[in-house]
Amino acid sequence: GEGARTQFISRDRSYHGNTLGALSVSGFSQRRKQYEGRLSPCSFVSSANPYRLPGGISEAELSDFLANELEREILRLGPDKVAGFIFEPVVGAAGGVVPAPPHYATKVRSICDQYGVLLIADEVMCGSGRCGTWRALEHDAVMPDIMAIAKGLAGGYVPLGATLYSEKLGGPIDSIGGGPNTGHTFSGHTLACAAGAAVQTIMVRDQLVARVKELGEVFRADLHSAVGELDAVGDIRGRGFFVGVELVQDRETRQPFDPELRLSDRIRARALEAGLICYPVDGTLDGHRGNAAILAPPYNASESELEEIIDKFDRSLRQTLSDIKQG
């Protein structure tokens, strides 16, 4: 019944999808630029990136700084005008796997509750077990009002996405319209839902989420041992089987490489030659500068396969850096 709530708040260096509505709340300049002028207005606050801190803010101060910034933006727009705040618990494609700092999710949950703003968690990339818990926000002991999930939900066998929402929303939606006032031709597709149900059954049967949590720690430690000493490796971060490696030209200043070098694409090409698929990320700093690579093993990858992934990435990264020096 609060029809004046039409504003949304999102974060810089975030990505929520490629429809006009989803792009409107995405702080991803590379993917927005072709559609500027067609996108709905959205307010953006700072990214929650402990590796790329706002000026004058320490890592210990980051969560409070971000929560206060969100509150100020809600007040600036008008508390009765803001519908929701959307964020990725662990930023994927736009940041190169960036988990929010400790206590961040708890603080923004409290701010949203105070002003009647919906908390929307985009777990399309980081959820469905990828971070070692079925919900990525389980790490933070926070429950959102709305959660988008996809990707790992059906294991990649059939395209499937879903939206989960709380009874706080479901009750009014059902009483007014009998259900959500949306739909697409293939919504609720029987084959996709069957694939999703089968994948989730196997995940429970084989305890894959717990496996991801346990081996994820080992995977990141082994990856750090392999490439962590390289001057170009600025940060290795992530949760579970969702790991990002950020590359920098200067480790002390965290200065990124020249975008003209196309470092991320070069790493991807070298990795493909070696038989490894990794996810290249550009613009981690400001949408133009900054490079990272994402490694996201299958949940049932064997320990020897995890070692193979690290070995192939190690060789591909070193070869790429050598190519740049020679060039």
Side-chain angles (χ1 to χ4, degrees):
E2 299 179 39
R5 291 185 182 270
T6 59
Q7 300 288 321
F8 286 86
I9 302 173
S10 185
R11 300 191 311 202
D12 290 329
R13 299 310 305 158
S14 62
Y15 180 59
H16 301 292
N18 214 44
T19 62
L20 291 181
L23 271 178
S24 295
V25 294
S26 294
F28 200 146
S29 58
Q30 301 102 308
R31 299 193 182 187
R32 288 174 60 101
K33 61 184 178 182
Q34 297 182 62
Y35 303 94
E36 293 293 355
R38 303 172 182 87
L39 304 177
S40 300
C42 178
S43 292
F44 291 93
V45 292
S46 301
S47 60
N49 188 342
Y51 187 69
R52 299 290 185 186
L53 295 167
I57 301 299
S58 70
E59 188 168 342
E61 298 169 325
L62 182 58
S63 290
D64 283 334
F65 170 84
L66 295 168
N68 292 336
E69 182 187 36
L70 174 61
E71 183 174 25
R72 288 196 303 271
E73 187 62 13
I74 292 173
L75 293 173
R76 186 187 73 83
L77 294 169
D80 60 333
K81 301 293 195 302
V82 181
F85 169 60
I86 182 169
F87 75 112
E88 296 170 89
V90 181
V91 179
V97 186
V98 184
H103 313 300
Y104 169 82
T106 304
K107 292 178 185 297
V108 298
R109 170 79 273 182
S110 177
I111 295 291
C112 288
D113 286 344
Q114 181 179 349
Y115 295 103
V117 174
L118 298 177
L119 184 67
I120 306 169
D122 181 345
E123 297 208 2
V124 166
M125 202 165 185
C126 63
S128 302
R130 175 63 60 191
C131 288
T133 50
W134 199 86
R135 290 188 307 110
L137 270 179
E138 286 181 51
H139 282 269
D140 309 283
V142 167
M143 186 70 73
D145 297 302
I146 301 174
M147 183 170 71
I149 54 176
K151 297 188 187 292
L153 182 62
Y157 292 101
V158 179
L160 179 65
T163 302
L164 311 180
Y165 50 87
S166 65
E167 178 58 31
K168 179 175 74 174
L169 298 178
I173 288 174
D174 291 345
S175 65
I176 294 171
N181 184 25
T182 186
H184 298 277
T185 300
F186 294 112
S187 292
H189 195 285
T190 307
L191 176 62
C193 292
V199 166
Q200 296 307 308
T201 298
I202 293 169
M203 285 175 61
V204 172
R205 183 195 69 193
D206 296 347
Q207 300 181 325
L208 293 183
V209 176
R211 187 174 187 280
V212 168
K213 182 177 183 179
E214 178 184 357
L215 290 182
E217 299 289 339
V218 177
F219 181 71
R220 287 197 304 281
D222 289 349
L223 180 63
H224 199 282
S225 296
V227 303
E229 89 288 354
L230 293 175
D231 290 338
V233 174
D235 195 24
I236 299 175
R237 58 199 178 227
R239 293 176 179 173
F241 278 2
F242 197 32
V243 180
V245 180
E246 181 151 351
L247 290 311
V248 290
Q249 185 171 339
D250 188 308
R251 206 168 186 173
E252 291 300 316
T253 64
R254 303 184 180 182
Q255 178 185 348
F257 282 92
D258 184 343
E260 299 300 321
L261 292 172
R262 296 174 44 254
L263 179 61
S264 301
D265 287 338
R266 289 188 177 200
I267 294 171
R268 173 176 60 180
R270 280 292 185 183
L272 282 172
E273 290 176 3
L276 172 68
I277 299 173
C278 66
Y279 193 115
V281 179
D282 293 316
T284 57
L285 176 59
D286 56 12
H288 180 58
R289 298 173 299 152
N291 305 99
I294 296 176
L295 298 175
Y299 299 177
N300 60 353
S302 66
E303 293 183 47
S304 64
E305 288 170 333
L306 294 175
E307 293 172 2
E308 181 181 359
I309 289 170
I310 292 172
D311 179 64
K312 290 181 184 298
F313 181 75
D314 181 12
R315 288 188 282 113
S316 301
L317 177 57
R318 291 176 189 271
Q319 184 62 61
T320 304
L321 295 173
S322 176
D323 293 342
I324 288 174
K325 288 181 180 179
Q326 293 173 6

